[in-house]
Amino acid sequence: MDALRDALDHVRAELRSGASPLLTAAALLDAVAVSLHAQFAPALRPVINATGIIIHTNLGRAPLSEAAQAAMIGVAAGYSTLEFDLATGKRGSRLTHPERALTALTGAEAALVVNNNAAAVLLLLTALTKDREVIISRGQLVEIGGGFRIPDVMAQSGARLVEVGTTNKTRLSDYERAITPATAALLRAHASNFKQIGFVESAPLAELAGLAHERGLLLLDDLGSGALLDTAVYGLEHEPTVGESLAVGADLVAFSGDKLLGGPQAGIIVGKAPLIAALKQHPLARAVRADKLTIAALVATLDHYRKGEAISQIPIWQMIAAPLDQLRATAESWAHTLGGEVIAGESMVGGGSLPGATLPTALLALTPPNADAFAAQLRAADPPVIARIADGRVLFDPRTVFATQGDDLLRAVRSAL
Ligand SMILES: *Cc1c(COP(=O)(O)O)cnc(C)c1O
């Protein structure tokens, strides 16, 4: 009704201004249909990611495995055991579902899942270090995407930031000298989205653990991405794993669910049982708790790791592990249909994981008269295709395009051509 009234108002306004609008019913209804389509077209919609950036923050980070999608739908459509214990018929905890898988996978005593890693870090600082001092290296006072700044999060938590060392070098002795009776913890934050090269030095986590425990302090590790598998196997740099942090003595480790884990947006904290218990009790934990869809998808994702099938089932690991000759074959088949040339290029892991690390790939390169206009046309396709532009060329990386999206991609590019 609103759309019909708007269309009629528009016609009346045109008549009043002396114009002669199309007054057939068909023309009016067409205008109404166009306006309704525009109003109900979801702004949040699937796109084809041809950028080759695997964990693309702007495109929704990690795509979920089929099992994770099915698990979400399973609990979304009806009622579930979210907080219900079938054995006793009494109230259960939503936290038990992912905790079992997380402790089994990481060797941690206990685990807690919250809404995202920013919330995880805020929670652990607030619950364990409020009004006390937390020592961190100047080289780790990072800002990651979306305005998450370590110093700001610390201020918000009520912890007092004590920065030590310099931008490029921080030694164990720097931490040691800064410890006072007011110190609660040493914090290590992963640099995530930048890399220091040259004369760089930082204290190894194992040494920080030794110092912290000798002085009765906590060692908290904001690991950021939180890999469970070794990225070095795929020709990437070694990204510190959750298990390694725990093994060298971190008391609590916080990481994201939708970076290198390849699951839903979530913040995961693993570590010592009494500390996790304290976090669970804190009012902030309730404010930042994860919802049932997240928990369902996370458990399904973690189970891929437990069954040893992460590489074959989790999309981001399939993409990381995709063999170059397979990527080249796809790029060549695209070139066969669309023209253009296949060139060597690089895919990126993205998402604040492994800054600067790339994987060799094969790209389809097209050279339209106007690359920006061409890319805009691709974004207007349904589904939209997001490509990379470099040196006046539009580049398509098969690594991040699902096999099921190939036809849509070809159709969108052909129509833009
Ligand atoms: C990504 C990241 C965060 C924030 O995680 P979200 O899950 O995006 O909230 C916090 N700390 C570090 C070091 C990160 O890399």
Side-chain angles (χ1 to χ4, degrees):
M1 285 297 284
D2 286 343
L4 284 165
R5 286 195 183 109
D6 285 348
L8 289 173
D9 284 348
H10 183 69
V11 169
R12 287 189 192 105
E14 284 196 309
L15 285 171
R16 262 184 235 115
S17 72
S20 45
L22 264 180
L23 278 176
T24 65
L28 270 176
L29 288 175
D30 277 351
V32 170
V34 168
S35 136
L36 285 175
H37 271 297
Q39 285 180 48
F40 285 91
L44 174 60
R45 51 197 284 230
V47 301
I48 296 177
N49 174 13
T51 64
I53 301 167
I54 297 172
I55 305 171
H56 197 306
T57 300
N58 302 148
L59 302 183
R61 285 201 185 155
L64 296 179
S65 74
E66 278 173 24
Q69 297 168 43
M72 284 178 103
I73 292 169
V75 298
Y79 302 104
S80 64
T81 54
L82 181 66
E83 294 187 349
F84 187 76
D85 185 343
L86 287 175
T88 61
K90 299 223 164 68
R91 182 176 187 151
S93 162
R94 67 179 61 214
L95 296 171
T96 54
H97 310 290
E99 186 162 24
R100 205 166 44 124
L102 282 165
T103 51
L105 278 168
T106 62
E109 293 171 11
L112 170 65
V113 174
V114 295
N115 183 54
N116 59 12
N117 191 35
V121 175
L122 179 63
L123 173 62
L124 63 83
L125 289 173
T126 308
L128 303 173
T129 68
K130 190 172 163 60
D131 298 328
R132 301 187 59 201
E133 290 173 358
V134 175
I135 305 175
I136 183 170
S137 158
R138 288 198 165 91
Q140 294 170 8
L141 294 174
V142 299
E143 170 175 323
I144 59 146
F148 176 95
R149 293 179 146 192
I150 291 281
D152 294 349
V153 174
M154 290 182 71
Q156 187 64 43
S157 74
R160 285 201 301 280
L161 167 72
V162 177
E163 44 185 278
V164 296
T166 60
T167 304
N168 59 326
K169 291 197 180 193
T170 306
R171 302 186 183 89
L172 190 69
S173 54
D174 293 318
Y175 290 87
E176 212 166 354
R177 271 200 303 275
I179 295 173
T180 73
T183 308
L186 311 184
L187 175 64
R188 196 266 299 253
H190 190 289
S192 296
N193 54 8
F194 78 103
K195 190 171 169 170
Q196 292 190 326
I197 55 167
F199 292 96
V200 176
E201 191 179 329
S202 60
L205 199 64
E207 288 182 13
L208 292 181
L211 175 63
H213 297 153
E214 192 185 293
R215 309 291 286 267
L217 307 174
L218 297 174
L219 175 62
L220 308 174
D221 191 15
D222 176 7
L223 205 47
S225 202
L228 294 181
L229 297 178
D230 185 2
T231 48
V233 174
Y234 303 97
L236 292 164
E237 261 172 62
H238 175 72
E239 171 77 13
T241 67
V242 179
E244 285 163 8
S245 285
L246 291 169
V248 299
D251 295 294
L252 288 176
V253 182
F255 54 102
S256 289
D258 54 351
K259 291 182 179 171
L260 277 174
L261 193 75
Q265 175 189 306
I268 300 166
I269 309 173
V270 296
K272 302 267 162 65
L275 300 174
I276 295 281
L279 298 184
K280 287 178 180 170
Q281 300 289 318
H282 196 274
L284 198 52
R286 175 63 178 76
V288 298
R289 77 177 180 186
D291 88 314
K292 61 185 178 182
L293 304 184
T294 299
I295 290 170
L298 181 63
V299 171
T301 305
L302 293 170
D303 283 351
H304 291 312
Y305 289 95
R306 289 171 75 197
K307 294 180 196 164
E309 59 182 29
I311 300 294
S312 67
Q313 298 300 319
I314 298 178
I316 65 143
W317 284 102
Q318 290 172 328
M319 292 172 185
I320 289 172
L324 182 56
D325 47 357
Q326 181 193 314
L327 299 169
R328 198 180 294 115
T330 305
E332 272 161 8
S333 80
W334 291 351
H336 185 73
T337 321
L338 301 168
E341 53 173 336
V342 174
I343 61 171
E346 286 169 336
S347 313
M348 284 198 286
V349 176
S353 316
L354 299 158
T358 58
L359 292 158
T361 192
L363 304 166
L364 169 67
L366 298 178
T367 316
N370 180 337
D372 288 318
F374 191 78
Q377 254 178 298
L378 293 173
R379 293 198 304 274
D382 184 23
V385 174
I386 316 298
R388 239 194 289 164
I389 301 179
D391 305 324
R393 291 195 290 194
V394 183
L395 307 175
F396 301 84
D397 189 336
R399 191 185 294 275
T400 48
V401 178
F402 292 89
T404 51
Q405 298 175 323
D407 288 344
D408 280 337
L409 178 117
L410 292 179
R411 201 167 28 77
V413 178
R414 229 185 277 120
S415 115
L417 283 170

